[in-house]
Amino acid sequence: MEFVSGYRDEFLDFTALLFGWFRKFVAERGAVETSLEGRWRQLEAQIRRLPQDPALWVLHVLPNRSVGISLGQGAEPGPGPGLGAGWLLGDEPPLHLRDLSPYVSLVSLEEGGEGEEEEEEEEENGEEEGAGTQKVEPEEDVEPAHTSRESPQEANPPGEPEDAEQEEGGGENGCREDRAEDESGPKRRKGRRSEAAPLHLSCLLLVTDEHGTILGIDLLMDGAQRSAGKGSGTENLAPRAYALLCHSMACPMGSGDPRKPRQLTVGDARLHRELESLVPRLGVKLAKTPMRTWGPQPGFTFASLRARTCHVCHKHSFEVKLTPCPQCSAVLYCGEACLRADWRRCPDDVSHRFWCPRLAAFMERTGELATLPFTYTAEVTSETFNKEAFLASRGLTRGYWTQISMLIPGPGTPRHRQGSTPSLSLLLNGDPYQLLQGDGPALMPPVPPDSPRGLFGSWQDYYTWRGLSLDSPMAVLLTYPLTVYYVITHLVPQSFPELNIQNKQSLKIHVVEAGKEFDLVMVFWELLVLLPHVALELQFVGDRLPPESDQQHFTLQRDGPEVSVRPGSGVSARLNSGTKEKGSRRDLQIKVSARPYHLLQGPKPDLVIGFNSGFGLKDTWLSSLPRLQSLRVPAFFTESSEYGCVMDEQTMAVATGGGTSPPQPNPFRSPFRLRAADNCMPWYCNAFIFHLIYKPSQGSGARPGPGPGPPAPTPAAPPVSARRRRGEKKPGRGARRRR
């Protein structure tokens, strides 16, 4: 059994959702279009009986003339052209956007191929706006900038059969590939390209409600490159748009049951006229005039992300009814067949029969993990938490807030791309908290004039001393430096008292397998506020770091607005904290090593820390853990769930023969509950902390690390039966590793 909640890029789940719905839509549309007219009448009658949605629905028409989709050589094998559905949604799904680079990339269809990146960003922003709409009054006689289309010859909903064939051949790949690269923005990568001409997504039809919930999508694909000039539109669009509307009502992609809108507006004048005779068949009122303009509401949402999937067959909740395991309530299944298949998986220690009682114990921690002092706790710890809506409603749509969400910065907002070194203009502007701010007033108060008199063991204590309101969401970003602080001041003295770490004036800390935490590097400035008399060196290490940042380093200093650059030795940035430091000044040095940890050369650190590590999901840990074993330095790691801690312990045993300490809840965990597609377990960034227990050296006489605990009882049959038996984990079997 393997769960990737908390480790996988959110946008890949979003891409899988779009692709899953689009694939179902294409299959059902093809079946209806090849049937008799009575099938359409039956579908229309069914829709007329649906309950009414009070929200306004919008049909967007988004043309594309300049960006094509190039399939890499890695996309050629498998069923059909491009990336197969099993690869994106199956048992070995990609974890990061960069994993798509050998399969798909965006290319310019303009002559000369210049300006590819700018065109990608324009397309990205256009599609992002389609996810959230603003309710406006339509105006007459406003022609859009799209290419004109001829009216359909008939008013019948079925489209041309060739359209369905064309869509089945290239449209499925176009959905996930175009969306995955279009909206990924900073994470796009160029992969190897095939010799075939790039696919052209000529037009995107998008159905949303006024709140931004995506209800349906249709992609009009051309198989070969076209000119970027006129003639790149698609004719006879009304039947396809009508079919999309029908399926969006009968099977909405976003959350909620089948329903029809009280009113529909269309973002294209010609298409609006063509649908005037079709939409009333569904019992839906069409706006008198087409919509003139639209844009995201302040609280726009990606509510479509609430769709769940079956843990076994990966079908979404809009395809099948999902129910949790009746015994552990942790894993979602579409029916008895998938539950039994997961129950009887081989080998035994990956079956649900083995894990069911353990997952039930993990579920019992749900209330404890949701016990936080913030005013918004109930909202952000809910299973249906909508992170993008929460951030947008508070104006947190810029800076580091876009690094932890699917929001895209608005026009004119300085961008710090994920996986790239922060620009000097962002580091050296004198305000260490600039990237932590939102669109409103400053979120971080001035640094207190006096150093902390005691040690903080909870968010409540830290917020009180720091002058933060419990309504402030800064804990979402500050979880990283506060976790480091908690390890230094609490966990190391408890577990390794002989190191006397609290009396050291300088500390060298390695942040291993760094990724997202490096994208948020300036949040670690807060360590200088919490530990003002300690000189800190943070070295970020990992092969996911940008290669161009390898061997770079810079120094952050507490006083003085001056900036100096020393060639060959990195950057020294003197940031103004607003107060003069009492006593000697301490610096924070940041170093970058873009390589796996076992290949790092240099002095031995005082402490090693890893965030949300996932030992079993990356093969390099099988080399990095023995490296840590040889160094024998205190190494603390966080995980987003207890399940991850168990898998990490198994990997540690396989890699080194050692173990891990019992995980404990991190009092400085992020308050945001992470989305889980195929399970109901509580996942939070930095939820649990443990440290490595190294295998004793031969002849050392040290007591060995703790062995595995007593086996938990495991049912002998699926939960429909009350029988139980005790099961043991097979000796010597390690964590399942992703290939």
Side-chain angles (χ1 to χ4, degrees):
M1 175 176 286
E2 186 176 74
F3 300 97
V4 295
S5 306
Y7 306 106
R8 194 182 190 207
D9 288 346
E10 291 178 296
F11 185 76
L12 291 177
D13 285 333
F14 184 54
T15 303
L17 172 65
L18 292 174
F19 171 60
W21 192 93
F22 179 71
R23 180 180 54 180
K24 180 177 185 294
F25 165 57
V26 169
E28 294 183 355
R29 183 187 63 189
V32 172
E33 288 178 350
T34 56
S35 63
L36 299 177
E37 179 67 17
R39 185 77 176 271
W40 273 106
R41 301 302 180 191
Q42 182 180 359
L43 179 60
E44 291 170 347
Q46 175 185 349
I47 292 176
R48 283 195 295 268
R49 293 192 295 268
L50 292 177
Q52 191 176 81
D53 187 346
L56 173 72
W57 284 24
V58 185
L59 173 60
H60 306 280
V61 182
L62 305 175
N64 168 49
R65 302 184 182 90
S66 58
V67 178
I69 303 169
S70 177
L71 301 181
Q73 294 180 7
E76 293 175 357
L83 205 59
W87 189 87
L88 188 67
L89 304 172
D91 293 331
E92 298 290 334
L95 293 180
H96 307 289
L97 284 171
R98 68 174 184 173
D99 296 336
L100 298 181
S101 59
Y103 298 87
V104 63
S105 57
L106 297 187
V107 296
S108 172
L109 299 182
E110 301 282 358
E111 294 185 4
E114 299 295 333
E116 174 181 347
E117 182 173 318
E118 289 76 5
E119 289 162 358
E120 292 176 356
E121 292 181 357
E122 290 175 5
E123 185 73 8
E124 172 188 86
N125 292 335
E127 292 194 16
E128 183 73 19
E129 289 175 347
T133 60
Q134 179 178 358
K135 184 177 178 181
V136 296
E137 292 298 327
E139 296 189 10
E140 294 182 330
D141 301 325
V142 178
E143 289 292 332
H146 322 329
T147 329
S148 62
R149 288 173 292 274
E150 297 180 1
S151 300
Q153 299 297 325
E154 300 176 351
N156 295 332
E160 298 296 329
E162 291 78 10
D163 293 339
E165 295 174 1
Q166 176 188 16
E167 205 60 45
E168 292 175 342
E172 295 182 7
N173 299 306
C175 173
R176 65 179 172 281
E177 292 157 2
D178 182 75
R179 298 286 296 188
E181 292 289 346
D182 247 4
E183 296 193 25
S184 63
K187 297 289 290 186
R188 67 174 65 91
R189 300 285 189 270
K190 294 183 179 180
R192 293 182 298 171
R193 307 229 174 112
S194 60
E195 297 297 331
L199 298 173
H200 178 215
L201 173 62
S202 60
C203 187
L204 169 69
L205 295 179
L206 189 67
V207 180
T208 71
D209 65 13
E210 60 183 294
H211 305 295
T213 304
I214 300 178
L215 303 166
I217 187 173
D218 191 9
L219 306 173
L220 282 68
M221 297 290 300
D222 296 335
Q225 178 176 340
R226 286 194 178 191
S227 168
K230 295 182 179 180
S232 60
T234 304
E235 299 179 357
N236 205 20
L237 192 59
R240 299 188 64 141
Y242 184 75
L244 175 63
L245 290 170
C246 290
H247 284 272
S248 300
M249 298 176 197
C251 181
M253 182 191 305
S255 59
D257 297 325
R259 59 196 184 276
K260 63 182 181 181
R262 113 187 122 73
Q263 188 177 23
L264 172 72
T265 183
V266 182
D268 180 271
R270 181 177 293 275
L271 182 59
H272 180 274
R273 291 194 296 268
E274 295 170 354
L275 291 175
E276 284 180 340
S277 61
L278 300 177
V279 172
R281 297 182 184 181
L282 306 175
V284 175
K285 180 181 179 182
L286 184 66
K288 295 182 180 180
T289 56
M291 181 176 55
R292 179 186 180 188
T293 185
W294 50 272
Q297 286 184 340
F300 104 101
T301 167
F302 275 108
S304 304
L305 290 175
R306 298 175 187 171
R308 296 289 190 87
T309 61
C310 173
H311 178 64
V312 176
C313 67
H314 311 290
K315 290 183 178 179
H316 285 89
S317 55
F318 53 75
E319 302 176 86
V320 292
K321 182 179 180 180
L322 300 176
T323 55
C325 168
Q327 185 157 309
C328 67
S329 301
V331 187
L332 294 172
Y333 300 101
C334 65
E336 186 70 17
C338 283
L339 173 57
R340 288 188 174 276
D342 199 31
W343 191 266
R344 298 168 178 171
R345 287 178 65 184
C346 292
D348 179 69
D349 62 355
V350 301
S351 68
H352 187 64
R353 184 186 67 82
F354 177 84
W355 280 98
C356 189
R358 294 161 175 80
L359 299 181
F362 299 162
M363 291 292 291
E364 294 177 358
R365 306 292 287 267
T366 302
E368 179 183 357
L369 293 175
T371 303
L372 295 164
F374 308 109
T375 59
Y376 48 80
T377 295
E379 177 183 359
V380 302
T381 58
S382 168
E383 275 194 82
T384 58
F385 171 49
N386 191 332
K387 180 170 58 178
E388 278 68 29
F390 177 87
L391 295 176
S393 66
R394 292 169 174 255
L396 304 177
T397 58
R398 52 183 294 191
Y400 280 166
W401 299 103
T402 61
Q403 306 288 338
I404 63 169
S405 72
M406 291 177 58
L407 297 174
I408 292 180
T413 303
R415 293 193 182 191
H416 162 40
R417 295 190 169 195
Q418 292 182 352
S420 64
T421 305
S423 66
L424 295 183
S425 62
L426 296 179
L427 289 177
L428 310 183
N429 66 352
D431 181 8
Y433 301 113
Q434 180 197 13
L435 292 172
L436 282 65
Q437 304 303 330
D439 295 331
L443 296 179
M444 290 297 292
V447 176
D450 297 322
S451 302
R453 295 184 178 180
L455 300 179
F456 304 126
S458 68
W459 281 121
Q460 179 109 33
D461 295 341
Y462 166 75
Y463 264 49
T464 300
W465 173 79
R466 197 60 173 83
L468 287 165
S469 165
L470 289 178
D471 190 55
S472 170
M474 289 302 298
V476 180
L477 298 177
L478 295 175
T479 177
Y480 295 100
L482 266 295
T483 296
V484 176
Y485 165 82
Y486 184 68
V487 169
I488 294 174
T489 58
H490 288 73
L491 300 186
V492 174
Q494 292 173 8
S495 304
F496 304 92
E498 67 278 6
L499 297 180
N500 198 21
I501 195 172
Q502 289 178 307
N503 293 328
K504 290 190 174 183
Q505 295 184 351
S506 64
L507 289 175
K508 182 189 296 290
I509 302 174
H510 286 178
V511 182
V512 296
E513 293 299 331
K516 179 180 293 185
E517 51 273 14
F518 178 69
D519 294 333
L520 307 174
V521 63
M522 288 302 294
V523 301
F524 292 96
W525 170 267
E526 191 68 8
L527 285 173
L528 289 185
V529 178
L530 293 165
L531 304 170
H533 301 298
V534 179
L536 295 172
E537 178 186 304
L538 295 183
Q539 184 164 358
F540 293 86
V541 186
D543 56 2
R544 289 173 52 196
L545 296 172
E548 63 273 14
S549 301
D550 189 32
Q551 300 304 309
Q552 291 188 4
H553 72 270
F554 48 89
T555 302
L556 309 182
Q557 298 174 341
R558 283 289 306 267
D559 55 344
E562 300 138 10
V563 176
S564 62
V565 179
R566 297 193 297 268
S569 61
V571 178
S572 175
R574 296 183 178 180
L575 304 182
N576 185 6
S577 64
T579 60
K580 270 290 183 181
E581 190 67 28
K582 290 186 178 181
S584 59
R585 185 185 67 213
R586 291 293 182 260
D587 303 334
L588 173 62
Q589 294 189 49
I590 305 292
K591 296 185 177 181
V592 185
S593 297
R595 65 198 66 188
Y597 189 73
H598 63 278
L599 299 179
L600 178 68
Q601 302 294 327
K604 182 178 178 179
D606 298 298
L607 179 66
V608 170
I609 291 180
F611 297 100
N612 307 299
S613 305
F615 291 170
L617 296 175
K618 195 173 182 182
D619 288 341
T620 54
W621 281 113
L622 295 178
S623 300
S624 297
L625 291 174
R627 169 66 172 163
L628 290 170
Q629 166 86 23
S630 65
L631 293 175
R632 307 189 75 84
V633 297
F636 287 79
F637 295 89
T638 70
E639 277 295 355
S640 52
S641 72
E642 280 188 284
Y643 170 84
C645 297
V646 173
M647 301 302 292
D648 289 351
E649 182 181 23
Q650 294 182 7
T651 306
M652 180 65 179
V654 170
T656 70
T660 64
S661 66
Q664 57 178 290
N666 178 10
F668 294 105
R669 61 189 174 274
S670 169
F672 281 10
R673 183 166 180 168
L674 301 176
R675 177 184 177 272
D678 61 350
N679 65 89
C680 303
M681 287 186 288
W683 301 76
Y684 295 85
C685 180
N686 301 325
F688 292 90
I689 305 182
F690 62 88
H691 68 265
L692 300 185
I693 298 178
Y694 300 120
K695 181 180 179 180
S697 303
Q698 293 183 354
S700 64
R703 62 186 180 91
T714 56
V720 292
S721 173
R723 294 176 298 164
R724 288 177 178 266
R725 70 175 179 86
R726 299 188 66 83
E728 292 186 356
K729 180 183 171 184
K730 296 183 178 180
R733 186 174 300 280
R736 295 182 65 235
R737 293 184 288 107
R738 185 173 302 280
R739 296 177 181 176

